[in-house]
Amino acid sequence: MTTDLDRPWNPGTVRTVLTNEKYIGNNVYNRSSFKLKKLHVENPPDMWVRKEGAFEGIVPLEFFLTAQEIITARSARLSDEELLDHLKRLYADAGQLSGVLIDQTPDMHSSSAYRNRFGSLARAYEMIGYRSDRDKERIALNKRLRGMHPEIIARTEAAIAEVGGTVARDPKTDLLTINDEMVVSLVLARCQPQGDRRLRWRIRLDPMRYQADVTLAVRLDPDNREELDYYLLPWIDLPRQEIRLCNRTSIAFEAFRFEGLSF
């Protein structure tokens, strides 16, 4: 018998089925987040957003809960140092780390055990000095985006001044107050190329931005080096978490899109 990917079953694949909530029908998201001027981080479990019964599960709930109790009990017997030592040995043997690799390695505690103990896999990796090439690329990109943010704000302020407007920026939140009336939040939407050559952008929103009347979302080019276009999004029309865009803008958002900054 093989898995749905035509691969043989092993302890790791069985553990994945017994630890991932999607197999009991739950859809879990917000496992990670990226906020402007901050690194991409894995969120702790208490920040995850869970939709129970989103689809039909294939693992009975009682089996799943029993597996969680067993896994938690086993990991609780080990100290933090022992868990990290196991992770170090796996890194030394494999030369890399990932949640899938941890779950598929016999005699290793599950990736969920590391998340529960240390808050996230990234935190556990950091504690043993591991950083993947993907992490390094992401850190470099985030650093560049943080550098672009004040430049874009400066250009926005200059564009407003050119048409006779006045703007005041809150140094703590970077919210812009225009003509003492309208509050504008500026966010960067980085491009996320997909394997099939499609492009995706995610405009991430957080509660701080709901203090703004309008969100100015700057969509970046595929190389994430220059502005591609802009979206002026009134607060009343915004969803509560994020907006996702692709190569071809939907009609619903085309009315909010602008090629350049002009006020």
Side-chain angles (χ1 to χ4, degrees), residues 1-5 7-26 28 31 55-69 71 99-100 102-105 110-112 115:
M1 180 181 294
T2 60
T3 68
D4 58 332
L5 298 177
R7 297 172 182 170
W9 286 89
N10 59 48
T13 53
V14 173
R15 186 189 314 180
T16 297
V17 172
L18 292 176
T19 56
N20 192 322
E21 290 192 38
K22 70 180 181 181
Y23 293 105
I24 59 172
N26 292 348
V28 182
R31 292 176 182 264
F55 39 82
E56 184 177 357
I58 62 173
V59 174
L61 180 60
E62 58 271 21
F63 289 1
F64 184 84
L65 294 178
T66 300
Q68 306 316 297
E69 292 176 357
I71 291 170
V100 173
I102 292 171
D103 288 336
Q104 293 184 349
T105 301
S110 69
S111 59
S112 62
R115 290 189 183 95

Side-chain angles (χ1 to χ4, degrees), residues 98-141:
S98 70
V100 173
L101 179 60
I102 292 171
D103 288 336
Q104 293 184 349
T105 301
D107 302 323
M108 274 290 293
H109 290 281
S110 69
S111 59
S112 62
Y114 282 92
R115 290 189 183 95
N116 291 335
R117 181 69 67 88
F118 301 106
S120 70
L121 281 180
R123 175 58 179 159
Y125 295 164
E126 180 183 345
M127 294 178 74
I128 66 167
Y130 171 73
R131 182 168 286 170
S132 67
D133 291 340
R134 184 177 179 183
D135 291 331
K136 294 175 183 177
E137 293 174 0
R138 185 169 60 241
I139 290 172
L141 173 59

Side-chain angles (χ1 to χ4, degrees), residues 34-54:
F34 171 82
K35 295 184 179 181
L36 197 60
K37 300 187 178 181
K38 294 185 179 180
L39 299 179
H40 183 100
V41 297
E42 290 193 41
N43 294 327
D46 60 356
M47 290 181 61
W48 295 354
V49 179
R50 180 179 286 98
K51 171 62 176 177
E52 298 184 358

Side-chain angles (χ1 to χ4, degrees), residues 156-169 175-184 263:
T156 302
E157 292 175 328
I160 296 171
E162 286 180 3
V163 295
T166 61
V167 57
R169 179 174 64 87
L175 292 175
L176 306 177
T177 300
I178 300 175
N179 294 335
D180 295 322
E181 296 178 352
M182 183 174 65
V183 179
V184 177
F263 295 88

Side-chain angles (χ1 to χ4, degrees), residues 191-221:
C191 182
Q192 299 174 321
Q194 308 297 299
D196 54 5
R197 296 186 179 182
R198 292 180 298 172
L199 303 177
R200 294 288 184 272
W201 291 264
R202 299 170 70 182
I203 302 175
R204 296 179 181 271
L205 307 168
D206 63 42
M208 175 65 72
R209 299 196 175 101
Y210 298 141
Q211 299 177 17
D213 301 304
V214 173
T215 291
L216 173 59
V218 183
R219 191 164 65 156
L220 301 178
D221 67 5

